[in-house]
Amino acid sequence: MIVMKFGGTSVGSGPMLVRVSDIVSRAPAERVVVISAMAGVTDAILNVLPRVQRDEGAIEPFLRELLNKHLAALHDAGASDAEVVKVTQEIDALLQRFERLLYGIAYTEELTAKTKDLAVSFGERLSVRLLAGVLRTRGVPAEAVDADDAGMLTDGSFGNATPIMSAIERNLERSLVGRLRNGVTPVLTGFFGCDAMGRVTTFGRGGSDYAAAIVAAALRANRLEVWKDVDGFLTADPRILKDAQPIAEMTYDEAAELAGVGAKVLHPRTVEPLKDLHVPILVRNTQQPEVQGTLITGVASVSRNALRSAATKDGLAILKIYGPGMAYTPGIGQKVFDALAKAKVNVYNMAASQASFALLIEESDLDRGLKALESIREGTIQSVEGITDMTLICVVGRGIGSTFGTSGKIFTAVGKAGVNIEMISVGASDIALNFVVKRKDRDACVRAIHHEFLFERPAPGPTEPAHSPR
Ligand code: ADP
Ligand code: ASP
Ligand code: MG
């Protein structure tokens, strides 16, 4: 049994739905398909909600556009007349429910995390019905399934839910395994589950990867295939570096470090449910199904020069705390962390010297962080300062911490590119090296590391004449 996840771009148009149907129909017969909303739909819903809250006039044009987008895709995918009728009815029923919710938001002028999660779930509820219809048109028995109906139970934190695995295992056994035995391919909504009261809870943006991993773990799948718009996990973000290369294999830990820092290709928690069960993850390209993609498992061959890939996270700030006696004041670190925790400021990274601490936090938390530290300022802490526009760079590769001279070589390459390193933490991990640069230096920094370590130039082969003689 395998789980196949297709992202928003992969199901973003009629021709893409056909492509996905072809890939699914060629896969092993026992498969569960998990998909995202069509590209742009989640963003569109999130954008319209505050407008609806102010003005109910925004509702009708929005729903009409959503309906047209899905019907056009169904049509462009060549759905049969019978499927067009069936799926159009299903979409109409969903949009009626969605309309009621939107008027509720407009009348109450209230938009909570709870209603937001319910509202965005409609993107996936719509897309699964489209793909199931297109699959059936092409002779593949398929059924759309909503994750809350299937029993994807979570802890109830809206926007950031955690699955309750034991319950999900039991529930999916009941809701999906029967369909599989009957030769039906379930097409399941990604992105969300529900709490014990049935209230919809999402796994955060990009959460369909995580949802698919939860399903693969619960069903003890042979593998999870994650189908994207890139040739696999690449050596760098292709939006930063055009010549980023696909990585053939990597380990769960490497993928988790990179995704955790911000490699958008996988939701940060995707690896979590699968690692201990040893379920392999295969990252593949919907546009190029013949490309082998990236295989993520517990073991992978050591990467060239010990480095695998680099990821970056923007929108950060450094909180600097000065005090000449800090190194001699027991408990000062605890005081600082307690104050930040109380103010709900998350610390990503830290560095310390005799007279200062530097803490890496979200830029949007900076004001709260500064206020929290002002409140504990007394003898030891002399001043507190915030520096904005920072980017975290995470370079990953097995043995990066233990391979002599690797970090030195990285910093030399970065220095040669004229980039100043604002903050470093070395030694915390054997597979990741994290440091901070100014946002404006991000691209130069990634390029320098990439060209020094990651960019595999084609091996010089035997020289061939430009025109081979016939
Ligand atoms: P999906 O909708 O299928 O989940 P996403 O857009 O969320 O797809 O993720 C794929 C995108 O992630 C790619 O198009 C690419 O721009 C971006 N990305 C960032 N870092 C990497 C990386 N290291 N390897 C591959 N893609 C990356
Ligand atoms: N549709 C959701 C989002 O855009 C989930 C996903 O695509 O993974 O965040
Ligand atoms: Mg994604």
Side-chain angles (χ1 to χ4, degrees):
M1 208 281 299
I2 68 168
V3 174
M4 310 172 81
K5 180 263 173 176
F6 295 88
T9 321
S10 300
V11 297
S13 67
M16 288 304 287
L17 288 167
V18 170
R19 204 173 260 284
V20 167
S21 302
D22 286 345
I23 293 171
V24 171
S25 62
R26 283 197 296 265
E30 283 222 315
R31 65 221 165 192
V32 175
V33 175
V34 178
I35 65 170
S36 300
M38 291 179 79
V41 167
T42 307
D43 282 333
I45 297 175
L46 287 172
N47 287 334
V48 87
L49 292 179
R51 284 200 281 129
V52 165
Q53 197 185 358
R54 289 190 305 271
D55 170 19
E56 67 172 59
I59 296 174
E60 292 312 319
F62 171 73
L63 289 176
R64 207 173 316 120
E65 210 176 298
L66 204 55
L67 175 69
N68 290 341
K69 184 182 175 83
H70 286 82
L71 292 186
L74 190 63
H75 178 265
D76 294 346
S80 65
D81 292 347
E83 286 302 334
V84 169
V85 171
K86 178 178 162 62
V87 175
T88 306
Q89 274 171 2
E90 291 175 343
I91 291 178
D92 280 341
L94 277 175
L95 291 183
Q96 269 178 34
R97 272 172 66 197
F98 197 11
E99 183 178 32
R100 265 183 255 138
L101 172 67
L102 293 176
Y103 276 106
I105 293 169
Y107 290 149
T108 56
E109 293 175 25
E110 238 170 44
L111 182 56
T112 60
K114 185 169 83 182
T115 39
K116 236 190 210 175
D117 269 10
L118 177 58
V120 284
S121 76
F122 281 90
E124 272 71 11
R125 293 181 202 275
L126 289 165
S127 66
V128 289
R129 285 161 174 87
L130 279 190
L131 180 61
V134 175
L135 278 165
R136 288 190 299 262
T137 293
R138 303 170 75 80
V140 179
E143 270 174 42
V145 182
D146 293 322
D148 41 358
D149 289 345
M152 189 83 153
L153 200 72
T154 75
D155 66 349
S157 33
F158 299 110
N160 182 29
T162 292
I164 300 176
M165 285 309 292
S166 51
I168 293 176
E169 280 167 26
R170 275 196 309 277
N171 295 345
L172 294 192
E173 175 76 28
R174 180 179 41 75
S175 53
L176 299 185
V177 173
R179 287 181 163 104
L180 288 172
R181 288 209 189 102
N182 291 332
V184 172
T185 299
V187 183
L188 182 69
T189 54
F191 195 27
F192 68 91
C194 68
D195 69 3
M197 319 265 286
R199 295 178 301 199
V200 168
T201 50
T202 65
F203 298 112
R205 291 310 304 272
S208 298
D209 299 326
Y210 185 37
I214 295 164
V215 173
L219 297 175
R220 303 289 190 271
N222 295 333
R223 65 176 183 273
L224 167 65
E225 294 184 356
V226 186
W227 291 81
K228 303 260 158 185
D229 58 353
V230 276
D231 280 348
F233 214 120
L234 307 179
T235 50
D237 186 334
R239 292 163 301 180
I240 295 181
L241 212 70
K242 274 205 303 292
D243 51 7
Q245 301 290 302
I247 302 164
E249 340 161 40
M250 63 202 301
T251 65
Y252 293 121
D253 292 343
E254 290 169 343
E257 286 280 352
L258 291 161
V261 165
K264 193 196 167 208
V265 60
L266 284 183
H267 181 279
R269 299 186 71 178
T270 309
V271 168
E272 231 177 82
L274 302 174
K275 184 182 157 183
D276 288 345
L277 296 172
H278 305 284
V279 177
I281 306 170
L282 203 53
V283 184
R284 304 192 59 184
N285 191 345
T286 312
Q287 301 270 19
Q288 314 270 344
E290 64 288 350
V291 171
Q292 71 166 52
T294 304
L295 178 65
I296 305 171
T297 61
V299 284
S301 63
V302 177
S303 44
R304 178 176 177 259
N305 292 325
L307 295 199
R308 194 80 76 187
S309 183
T312 63
K313 184 177 173 64
D314 297 335
L316 300 174
I318 295 177
L319 198 53
K320 277 205 171 148
I321 306 160
Y322 301 97
M326 289 210 318
Y328 305 100
T329 313
I332 187 74
Q334 188 184 348
K335 233 172 159 179
V336 165
F337 278 102
D338 279 351
L340 292 175
K342 246 194 236 145
K344 295 215 165 0
V345 175
N346 188 34
V347 177
Y348 287 111
N349 209 320
M350 67 168 297
S353 76
Q354 292 297 308
S356 65
F357 285 164
L359 306 176
L360 189 68
I361 64 171
E362 290 283 350
E363 209 163 68
S364 54
D365 288 348
L366 183 59
D367 284 345
R368 254 183 303 128
L370 286 169
K371 268 200 205 106
L373 294 181
E374 278 302 325
S375 72
I376 57 160
R377 235 181 86 186
E378 27 71 23
T380 319
I381 298 177
Q382 264 185 4
S383 65
V384 182
E385 180 195 4
I387 312 166
T388 55
D389 284 322
M390 294 291 139
T391 292
L392 176 65
I393 312 272
C394 171
V395 188
V396 160
R398 198 131 57 99
I400 206 170
S402 55
T403 312
F404 181 74
T406 307
S407 44
K409 261 162 80 186
I410 293 173
F411 294 136
T412 307
V414 172
K416 262 201 257 160
V419 173
N420 186 44
I421 292 170
E422 306 289 323
M423 184 175 157
I424 307 178
S425 74
V426 185
S429 158
D430 190 40
I431 60 160
L433 176 69
N434 286 340
F435 57 93
V436 178
V437 300
K438 291 196 180 74
R439 166 66 182 81
K440 71 173 178 53
D441 290 334
R442 180 194 71 183
D443 296 6
C445 179
V446 171
R447 212 175 300 125
I449 298 166
H450 202 260
H451 286 173
E452 182 77 23
F453 294 95
L454 302 167
F455 185 45
E456 306 255 2
R457 287 171 193 82
T463 36
E464 277 176 32
H467 301 283
S468 37
R470 286 178 187 253

